[in-house]
Amino acid sequence: KGRGVGGPRAIGQERVEDLAFTGEKKFTHLLEEEEKRKIIEALERTNYVKSRAAKLLGYTLRQLDYRLKKYGIEVKKRK
């Protein structure tokens, strides 16, 4: 009694959509972690010379600086 045409199905569909969104967030997080790892690896390989690391990654220096800030990666200034 009292169940509309879309009652249980609508609820089930919402759950499927929630799971898809959760999976998308996890996938995005994994991609970001991989990008962060590659940036750190490039910095280490280039002795923390940002312009060389950017070139190795195929980024402009501005793109690398944006990602360093986004991921909270600090590059110490060379002496």
Side-chain angles (χ1 to χ4, degrees):
K1 287 185 175 181
R3 291 186 182 174
V5 174
R9 280 190 148 173
I11 292 170
Q13 184 62 35
E14 288 173 10
R15 289 183 183 150
V16 169
E17 289 170 3
D18 288 345
L19 289 173
F21 181 70
T22 300
E24 184 178 314
K25 284 175 64 176
K26 287 180 183 178
F27 181 70
T28 301
H29 177 73
L30 289 173
L31 286 178
E32 289 176 346
E33 287 299 313
E34 180 65 14
E35 182 177 41
K36 182 177 177 180
R37 187 191 63 74
K38 286 186 176 194
I39 290 169
I40 292 169
E41 181 181 325
L43 287 166
E44 289 171 349
R45 287 181 57 190
T46 60
N47 212 16
Y48 292 86
V49 177
K50 291 194 307 183
S51 59
R52 289 176 55 208
K55 187 173 183 175
L56 185 65
L57 292 162
Y59 297 158
T60 64
L61 185 55
R62 185 173 176 169
Q63 288 171 319
L64 179 60
D65 281 335
Y66 168 81
R67 285 169 173 83
L68 292 173
K69 184 176 180 180
K70 176 181 177 181
Y71 298 127
I73 302 170
E74 291 185 32
V75 178
K76 295 179 182 174
K77 299 203 181 223
R78 294 172 19 143
K79 294 181 182 180

